[in-house]
Amino acid sequence: MDSPFQQYLDTNYVPTVDEAKRIQDVLEISGHSLRCIDTEIDKLQRQLDLLQAKRSGIINFDEQHRALLSPARKLTQDIVEEIFIACLPEDRNPYVNSMEAPMLLTQICSSWRRIALSTPRIW
């Protein structure tokens, strides 16, 4: 912004009473401009928030539908059982630990839990 007092900015100059009044007028104009910009920013922020919410909804929609196409859904129960058995530790008996097979496998989804719990070779 241009200022009629540019040469006095960043100095120790003391404005006269008349200049002080003119400075107040300049500040009112810049304050109005600032309020207009803040209003526009708020309006744009609300629009951005709405768009981000719509975007998140579409991403969630896409992820849910992509999950339906997951190749893992096409595996038969006997294949899943063999995969689960292959996940077991080979050097020791499995611990009851939620961070490793077979307990970890029961936490993925209800169908995996059902398969894991109904496969005696895992336990």
Side-chain angles (χ1 to χ4, degrees):
M1 294 181 66
D2 291 329
S3 170
F5 300 96
Q6 189 67 41
Q7 73 270 17
Y8 302 125
L9 300 177
D10 299 319
T11 70
N12 291 328
Y13 178 77
V14 178
T16 66
V17 173
D18 187 48
E19 289 172 329
K21 171 66 175 122
R22 288 183 19 221
I23 292 171
Q24 288 295 345
D25 293 342
V26 167
L27 289 172
E28 283 183 36
I29 293 168
S30 66
H32 175 73
S33 296
L34 188 57
R35 287 188 297 279
C36 288
I37 290 171
D38 286 343
T39 299
E40 186 67 19
I41 288 171
D42 289 343
K43 178 182 168 187
L44 292 171
Q45 186 62 53
R46 285 191 299 277
Q47 288 177 337
L48 181 61
D49 291 344
L50 285 173
L51 288 172
Q52 287 176 330
K54 284 181 182 180
R55 182 179 189 276
S56 292
I58 292 169
I59 287 172
N60 186 46
F61 179 90
D62 284 359
E63 288 173 350
Q64 289 175 328
H65 285 77
R66 286 183 201 288
L68 291 173
L69 300 175
S70 170
R73 290 180 182 264
K74 297 176 185 173
L75 297 175
T76 61
Q77 181 169 335
D78 58 321
I79 300 284
V80 175
E81 289 173 1
E82 291 301 319
I83 292 170
F84 286 2
I85 291 166
C87 289
L88 296 174
E90 295 179 0
D91 59 338
R92 60 179 168 74
N93 287 332
Y95 300 122
V96 178
N97 180 345
S98 65
M99 299 304 289
E100 65 178 46
M103 292 302 293
L104 178 63
L105 302 172
T106 67
Q107 299 173 38
I108 306 302
C109 64
S110 60
S111 62
W112 282 26
R113 179 174 25 265
R114 181 183 45 75
I115 293 170
L117 294 175
S118 68
T119 306
R121 288 178 43 198
I122 293 177
W123 307 98

